[in-house]
Amino acid sequence: MQTVIYWFRRDLRIEDHAGLAAALATGAQVVPVYVVDPAANPGGDVPATRTVMWRGLHALDAALQAQGSRLICRRGDPAGIIPDLVRATGAGAVFALRKQGAYFAARDAQVATALAALGAQWHLLDDDTIVPADALRTKTGGPYTVFTPFAKQWLAYLRAQEPGEVLVPLARLRLVPALRDLPSTVAAAFGAAGEAADARLPAFAVSTEAAQARLAAFTGQGDDPNQAPIARYQQQRDLPAVDGTSRLSLHLAWGTLSARAAYLAALGAARGCNDDGRAGCRAWVTELAWRDFYHHILDHAPYAERSAYQTQYATLAWEGEAAHFAAWAAGRTGYPIVDAAMRQISTTGWMHNRARMIVASFLVKDLLLNWQLGETYFAQRLIDHDVASNNGGWQWSASTGTDPQPYFRIFNPTSQGEKFDAQGDYVRRWVPELARVPARAIHAPWQLGNAERSALCPDYPPPIVDHATQRQRALALFQAARTAPKA
Ligand SMILES: Cc1cc2nc3c(=O)[nH]c(=O)nc-3n(C[C@H](O)[C@H](O)[C@H](O)COP(=O)(O)OP(=O)(O)OC[C@H]3O[C@@H](n4cnc5c(N)ncnc54)[C@H](O)[C@@H]3O)c2cc1C
């Protein structure tokens, strides 16, 4: 019987899956493979990624076993391992989904060359985004570089295409004689270190069941959609103290849920909603469009992964201090909302989107540090790390990216806190030193008198920089780069 390999990467599911469906459609027996590649994460072989992978791969293996198959899991460089498995199984083809990012592209090119030398076919399919990267073009034929017109076309495309779930003929996974001689398990691929989880990370599941349960709870499947969180998303999405967003980013980043399924669930919810609820559904779908946008951007401008998207800012003369980076990372900057957010990411591996924007702006515009330091730090900590969304988010905040707002958009960490965490609930949750500070001073504890400060928050540091001063310095820094003679 003919054999093909399906190589799972950031698509840890067996349902609604264009790549697996294509492999099974060949009629060959499919060998499901995952390669634990310690070099794949830009942050390195880090506990957050290892933890997610360990949980996600066990869940994927269990899902495959329930279908009479199982996951072949190896550790190392896929450029050697995938051709080895082709030789061992006699596979005539390898199928996989394309993932944005320079590392993945280079790795895939190496695998493609090795497979060609073996006479095996290489099928790389697009199923990571809701709309494929090459589907949208401006009137002049170029890719979209500004979000608002992109989102308009993106919605028009989806209205015309009406995507549906990709059905996977799972029964065919049972044809598995080729798996008998391949004893590689998930546990073996992780070696003696095992899960080596970050003990501080909460117990979240990385499985399709967990993703679908979260999606159902968020979109109100089975209940009145007007009461579902998605219907209130517009009002609550910017409040980091409120559990008002979907928290599906982990699942979308690791593919335990397809982005298409998220979009279809939002459409379903909108149908049952009143006008207010529909506005919530629309706002949430716009976030899915941001995800596609950043993935498409990296496709069209791969250089942005390593450098400023706006090339005039590629050589900004950063003036910041290493000690300030350490204070930022430790959540000890003296700006409560920044510190709360940085402690949230350290403790949970996740950070609210508003908080991500605030800490990113602070690192770049207040501490005058290179956004790439923050991008790497996030890559090392986030359980939902995604190369394109992380790069896009950092470059947007740093004003080096696609944001059409000029460089002078600088978040004031105090007024951001007052606006989006008015009572200070988010700050008090993550910064216990400020638990007794009243709401009037929670975002600017330095304004308390000496006596009150010593009584209420003696252990909380004063601000490490003065926002007004740093704002002027940031403006000068960007201005210098804009007016520098072109090399
Ligand atoms: C500096 C910075 C770094 C970021 N790094 C990442 C990252 O590594 N991985 C990641 O998935 N998101 C990243 N984001 C985007 C966003 O913060 C998260 O997707 C969101 O907070 C995840 O929470 P949620 O699932 O509850 O989102 P929801 O508000 O429920 O949104 C639904 C989904 O839409 C997508 N989405 C939402 N906002 C954005 C956005 N601004 N850009 C791209 N996609 C978005 C996500 O897949 C998300 O799960 C970053 C944003 C910034 C400002």
Side-chain angles (χ1 to χ4, degrees), residues 6 8 10-22 24 30 32-33 56-71 97 127 165-174 207-209 212 254-258 260:
Y6 184 76
F8 286 94
R10 289 285 194 117
D11 49 347
L12 305 184
R13 66 178 183 280
I14 59 171
E15 289 163 31
D16 188 20
H17 193 309
L20 188 58
L24 288 166
V30 172
V33 169
L57 293 179
H58 276 96
L60 177 64
D61 190 27
L64 286 164
Q65 291 201 25
Q67 301 299 328
S69 179
R70 70 185 185 83
L71 187 64
L97 292 187
D127 200 32
E165 183 186 343
V166 175
L167 293 174
V168 181
L170 289 174
R172 291 203 191 150
L173 275 169
R174 281 205 183 91
S207 64
T208 298
E209 289 74 21
Q212 285 173 346
W254 286 87
T256 36
L257 183 75
S258 75
R260 177 178 43 245

Side-chain angles (χ1 to χ4, degrees), residues 218-419:
F218 184 70
T219 56
Q221 284 165 28
D223 300 317
D224 177 3
N226 289 299
Q227 302 305 319
I230 194 171
R232 296 190 301 275
Y233 182 73
Q234 176 86 315
Q235 291 83 37
Q236 300 195 328
R237 56 185 286 248
D238 265 324
L239 308 175
V242 174
D243 188 16
T245 66
S246 70
R247 300 269 190 141
L248 281 167
S249 50
L250 163 73
H251 298 293
L252 292 169
W254 286 87
T256 36
L257 183 75
S258 75
R260 177 178 43 245
Y263 169 74
L264 292 173
L267 278 196
R271 275 187 215 109
C273 277
N274 57 26
D275 284 354
D276 281 354
R278 268 199 296 279
C281 297
R282 268 199 304 275
W284 195 64
V285 166
T286 303
E287 298 309 314
L288 298 177
W290 272 108
R291 180 180 181 276
D292 269 20
F293 180 61
Y294 285 143
H295 284 74
H296 292 195
I297 287 287
L298 221 49
D299 239 56
H300 305 313
Y303 70 88
E305 195 183 332
R306 302 262 179 267
S307 184
Y309 176 78
Q310 293 189 42
T311 51
Q312 61 183 331
Y313 295 135
T315 53
L316 276 165
W318 304 105
E319 298 167 2
E321 300 171 24
H324 283 171
F325 180 79
W328 176 83
R332 299 279 296 167
T333 66
Y335 283 95
I337 190 107
V338 174
D339 294 343
M342 295 309 294
R343 295 184 201 190
Q344 181 178 31
I345 195 175
S346 297
T347 311
T348 66
W350 186 85
M351 190 194 287
H352 189 277
N353 181 60
R354 172 60 46 183
R356 292 187 205 208
M357 293 195 287
I358 294 171
V359 302
S361 176
F362 188 80
L363 185 82
V364 177
K365 313 269 178 67
D366 283 76
L367 300 183
L368 309 179
L369 287 163
N370 189 340
W371 57 270
Q372 290 167 303
L373 291 172
E375 185 192 25
T376 303
Y377 186 83
F378 270 30
Q380 291 170 341
R381 297 292 182 295
L382 284 174
I383 55 172
D384 66 14
H385 173 249
D386 172 90
V387 171
S389 299
N390 195 36
N391 181 271
W394 272 98
Q395 297 229 38
W396 184 94
S397 302
S399 303
T400 59
T402 53
D403 184 6
Q405 277 273 347
Y407 59 94
F408 51 72
R409 177 197 291 118
I410 297 179
F411 279 16
N412 178 327
T414 310
S415 53
Q416 286 282 315
E418 287 164 354
K419 186 164 176 199

